Amino acid sequence: MKPILLQGHERSITQIKYNREGDLLFTVAKDTVANVWYSVNGERLGTYNGHTGAVWCVDCDWDTKNVLTGSADNSCRLWDCETGKQLAMLNTSSAVRTCGFDFSGNIIMFSTDKQMGYQCYLNYFDLRDPQQIEDNQPYLTVPCAESKITSAVWGPLGEFVIAGHENGEINQFSAKSGEILKKVKEHSKQINDIQTSVDLTMVITASKDCSSKLFDSTTLDHIKTFKTERPVNSAAISPIMDHVVMGGGQEAMEVTTTSTRIGKFEARFFHAAYEEEFGRVKGHFGPINCVAFHPDGKSYSSGGEDGYTRIHYFDPQYFDFELEA
Amino acid sequence: MNMHDTEDMPPDVDYDEDEPSFSDPEDFVDDIDDEELLGDLLREKPQEADGIDSVIVVDNVPQVGPERLEKLKNVIHKIFSKFGKITNEFYPEGPDGSTKGYIFLEYGAPTQALDAVKNADGYKLDKQHTFRVNVFTDFDKYMNICDEWETPEKQPFKDFGNMRHWMEDPDCRDQYSVIYESGERTAIFNNDPKDPIVAEERARWTETYVRWSPKGTYLATFHQRGIALWGGEKFKQIQRFSHQGVSLIDFSPCERYVVTFSPLMDTKEDPQAIIIWDILTGQKKRGFHCESSAHWPIFKWSHDGKFFARMTQDTLSIYETPSMGLLDKKSLKISGIKDFSWSPGDNIIAFWVPEDKDIPARVTLMQLPSRQEIRVRNLFNVVDCKLHWQRQGDYLCVKVDRTPKGTQGVVTNFEIFRMREKQVPVDVVEMKGDPESKNAESIIAFAWEPNGSKFAVLHGESPRINASFYHVKNNGKIELIKMFDKQQANSIFWSPQGQFMVLAGLRSMNGALAFVDTSDCTMMNIAEHYMASDVEWDPTGRYVVTSVSWWSHKVDNAYWLWTFQGRLLQKNNKDRFCQLLWRPRPPTLLPLDAIKAIKKDLKKYSKIFEQKDRLSQSKASKELVDKRRSMMEDYRRYREAALLQHQEQKAARLELRGGVDTDELDSNIDDWEEETIEFFINEEIIPLGE
């Protein structure tokens, strides 16, 4: 499969996300830029300009009306997807690490980093109440004293947020009360990414402890583990096959010896039931920071430390491939 | 005049007989006792028992006549005054006037006598006389042994189990030790081509690293207080040797002795830097100073463990076991000796001495214990030499770097000594470099084929590194069989059985690997283990392990198992993997003709083994298939339950999205808008007309 190369960022990609229907792919990076592309051919639709610091996260609501971004410039911004106009700016005391729309698209959550004396907080805003936006007053703020939140997604019905922490813990925070409904600790090191399955019944975590794990969204039961020998930066679940894809490596500054391997950072495919690796895709010049499946499962994308995003459409063989059982 | 005899003089009338009486009055009672009056003097009063504890008896003293007695006394004095001041000596003589052969010496204090016993007992004066020294009081002890026989207390038998247990594996799997988690965990695995099987795993088994004994019987672990040896089926602790701060060890090839080194323990009186221990008894046999910071092992063992030797400034000291004394009681004075090594097959030492004024440099082969020089080879204009013995001791290669007269550059020759031929003929192989360049060909690595007569050389400068293979033929010629150029290699690893080898570019060369069959010098496979830091062959030569150690590279720590042909079998990732060492095998117990018979019938055996392998393969895939099947079933069950719950929540979902059904991508197809977007695909410029 020949990949489509998206060149629109000058620094490393921090997150990529498809909209619900999959025709658009959003990419954000450390260069303060948020881009949106047509996933069918990689042509850029537009840019959301405004952030003054690295953009860490992006999300799009179910109807592809609004776009949410969080940045190191201590703001979480709401945009109109089609026109690129900034609709709201919510200032924070520290960098916004993760953000997202709930199932209905009415409630947004975002977490702020533990920085410069400020704790990590998980904030909830109801978009139906413009007063909250105007006053920059979330209806609920949950402090995280122990270990800061490094990645988070909404639960299936918008009742709770599933958050991954720096110490490897996963907690369910109620969106109504902010209390912790469930907690598990299966990973030994930082959770770098959490993504949901397309039907929101499962979540997959990617951790610095070189493994990725599959959990049930509601019960947080640990279902599967996928092991590698490198820290995993991101993982995603295929919407149509029993596959998961993982991307990793290490951030350039963490590796003390420079690797002379060109184009050899790989995305790895595992069979979700057998926990066995069955394929790899090379191409990135640096560690892969984010992976995502197209909602129809016929392609996937990866964003790397090298600033490139690659869209891969699967060959027919991919869908026929079966491990002997 | 006549002398008169003495006669009583007539009493002197004038002398007064009444001199005052100096005796005590008859009723005088002495109220001061002796102790008070002269206590200090009394203490020094010689007592009969005094001095016996400080007396030693020395036996096996040469019996000499009176003319040599003085000389004997001087010799004895010289030896024994080391332990203290000799206050008394007695050399009993026989009826013929010569000494009886035993003497008595008295020291100033009992501690000195004990010191003498400890250090002089067993002292070899000459070939016929080895002193036996005892304290005199011991004789009393032995004379007074109870007549009643008391059964000695029974020492419980320490059963360590079958020390060769690992050799009895029915599938002939070899073992290897793995240190990982940066040293926190040590595990022993049985090597199976499918997956390694854990034999034993312990946390904090060693504080730094481990070593196997040469025949594989013991595993040695390092600790602050010393080393410990483990063995048997359950890896019980066999023996412990206390040597504070031990950092290096070496085993004798026969596994009878272990040598430990610690930089901490040395004092002038008591050499403790290097200690030689008897493994079975745990006894400390002898301690040595560590004089120079030479390479470890400082003591080099002969192949049969009968001798060990070390080199110090201008001196070669050879010791014999089990006495641990110098062979012939003296070291060899070899002025300027630079390096030496034992033949791995015979008790022959090779050493070399650099040029000295007009005496050329030379390499000498010396037979032990006779000290006969069986071969001397003069070398001219030598800069440096390195000794490389072939594994069986059939050949010795001396790599000589010379500056030929009239040139500036350095050239390298290999002087090959044929040890098995009469008078040890020497053939020379010249390493010619690039004829254009003034510099000599730099030699990166050299290695003999074990069990064979080939050797491999890596030479040149990166990126033009060449691998040359030579064959030492019986007809006196050394033939260059093949040269591979532009190799990414800095190390040579021969299979311990010979014929096969791996050329590896370790560390900075990023783990390039080349598997070579030297019977026809073909490359069987070229592969890579990125950033590999070590290559280890198993003792049979069937498998090779390449590994990335955490000690040299902080990521991707793992060890990979390959067949000898270069087919990758396993990739084993281990968190902070540090070191893998194969367990050595003891030499085969089969006689040569039995080995020949097996080789002849190899076809018959290989049929049986292949069948067994095929069965186990299909068993493996069957196991895997079964495992997958059950995993899939579990997963399906979970998914069904989850989907059921998902269905139940449909109403809630519809409500949240204002009645829009988004469960499937095409659930709300009626709501879809068709939009046409034009994309720029291609531009074609067609010129019109002329």
Side-chain angles (χ1 to χ4, degrees), chain A residues 11 31 65 83 124 139 156 164 169 214 219 223 240 292 299 322:
Chain A
R11 301 231 0 242
D31 62 358
K65 288 230 170 55
T83 62
Y124 297 88
Y139 73 83
E169 252 182 37
L214 201 61
T219 62
I223 318 245
I240 54 171
S299 61
E322 254 179 43

Side-chain angles (χ1 to χ4, degrees), chain B residues 415-456:
Chain B
E415 312 257 327
I416 312 290
F417 290 64
R418 293 168 183 269
M419 301 300 296
R420 304 287 171 220
E421 292 180 34
K422 246 167 101 180
Q423 292 176 337
V424 189
V426 182
D427 294 315
V428 185
V429 176
E430 260 182 53
M431 290 308 293
K432 289 198 172 58
D434 183 359
E436 304 289 307
S437 113
K438 284 209 177 62
N439 300 324
E441 190 75 338
S442 72
I443 307 292
I444 300 167
F446 173 96
W448 279 105
E449 177 191 16
N451 275 355
S453 36
K454 296 196 211 84
F455 61 89

Side-chain angles (χ1 to χ4, degrees), chain A residues 139-159:
Chain A
Y139 73 83
L140 179 60
T141 290
V142 184
C144 292
E146 280 164 28
S147 182
K148 74 171 190 202
I149 293 175
T150 46
S151 185
V153 288
W154 278 95
L157 294 171
E159 290 175 338

Side-chain angles (χ1 to χ4, degrees), chain A:
Chain A
M1 32 172 169
K2 199 158 175 287
I4 303 173
L5 201 63
L6 304 180
Q7 294 169 307
H9 290 285
E10 283 166 19
R11 301 231 0 242
S12 47
I13 309 287
T14 50
Q15 193 170 36
I16 62 175
K17 214 163 246 184
Y18 283 94
N19 64 341
R20 184 181 58 86
E21 284 147 313
D23 53 314
L24 297 179
L25 180 65
F26 296 86
T27 62
V28 291
K30 286 187 184 170
D31 62 358
T32 77
V33 168
N35 282 321
V36 62
W37 316 74
Y38 286 111
S39 64
V40 68
N41 64 351
E43 188 169 308
R44 184 157 55 162
L45 169 57
T47 301
Y48 302 92
N49 285 313
H51 277 300
T52 56
V55 187
W56 290 116
C57 52
V58 64
D59 195 20
C60 169
D61 67 357
W62 70 276
D63 216 10
T64 318
K65 288 230 170 55
N66 296 323
V67 175
L68 193 64
T69 53
S71 162
D73 68 359
N74 296 358
S75 72
C76 181
R77 302 188 192 205
L78 188 68
W79 314 80
D80 179 278
C81 179
E82 203 178 326
T83 62
K85 181 165 163 235
Q86 182 179 305
L87 301 173
M89 179 163 93
L90 302 165
N91 286 314
T92 57
S93 337
S94 50
V96 177
R97 184 60 65 167
T98 188
C99 61
F101 289 97
D102 79 327
F103 188 78
S104 65
N106 294 325
I107 307 192
I108 58 169
M109 65 90 180
F110 58 88
S111 76
T112 54
D113 261 356
K114 187 175 174 162
Q115 252 176 2
M116 297 191 285
Y118 292 102
Q119 258 193 73
C120 161
Y121 288 100
L122 182 59
N123 299 302
Y124 297 88
F125 281 82
D126 192 328
L127 294 176
R128 296 168 293 192
D129 179 4
Q131 201 63 37
Q132 283 181 32
I133 309 291
E134 229 181 274
D135 300 340
N136 195 5
Q137 273 300 336
Y139 73 83
L140 179 60
T141 290
V142 184
C144 292
E146 280 164 28
S147 182
K148 74 171 190 202
I149 293 175
T150 46
S151 185
V153 288
W154 278 95
L157 294 171
E159 290 175 338
F160 50 81
V161 166
I162 304 172
H165 295 257
E166 195 180 29
N167 62 0
E169 252 182 37
I170 299 169
N171 288 314
Q172 265 180 5
F173 290 93
S174 158
K176 306 250 163 21
S177 62
E179 62 176 333
I180 295 178
L181 302 171
K182 283 204 173 54
K183 61 156 74 220
V184 288
K185 186 155 193 281
E186 292 284 341
H187 281 292
S188 54
K189 290 196 194 165
Q190 175 168 313
I191 310 263
N192 286 330
D193 189 23
I194 298 190
Q195 290 192 29
T196 56
S197 63
V198 78
D199 62 5
L200 304 177
T201 53
M202 301 191 286
V203 287
I204 188 165
T205 55
S207 170
K208 206 167 159 182
D209 69 3
C210 305
S211 73
S212 188
K213 289 178 193 269
L214 201 61
F215 296 87
D216 180 273
S217 321
T218 320
T219 62
L220 286 192
D221 282 342
H222 171 209
I223 318 245
K224 294 285 175 193
T225 302
F226 310 101
K227 293 199 189 134
T228 71
E229 72 281 357
R230 291 253 185 115
V232 189
N233 289 340
S234 179
I237 308 171
S238 167
I240 54 171
M241 310 281 288
D242 289 327
H243 298 162
V244 298
V245 64
M246 289 154 62
Q250 276 177 317
E251 259 196 60
M253 62 180 186
E254 282 188 307
V255 176
T256 51
T257 55
T258 42
S259 172
T260 53
R261 312 185 90 198
I262 310 290
K264 291 204 171 153
F265 285 88
E266 301 156 323
R268 301 177 189 210
F269 285 81
F270 281 73
H271 196 284
Y274 307 142
E275 297 175 335
E276 291 175 46
E277 187 184 314
F278 65 87
R280 293 197 189 183
V281 179
K282 288 197 223 231
H284 277 284
F285 295 88
I288 295 172
N289 286 337
C290 198
V291 290
F293 270 103
H294 188 291
D296 69 7
K298 296 191 183 151
S299 61
Y300 85 99
S301 297
S302 53
E305 188 74 17
D306 51 13
Y308 293 118
T309 306
R310 302 165 73 89
I311 304 180
H312 303 85
Y313 280 85
F314 295 116
D315 292 334
Q317 290 95 307
Y318 167 78
F319 302 101
D320 296 330
F321 175 79
E322 254 179 43
L323 282 173
E324 187 185 325

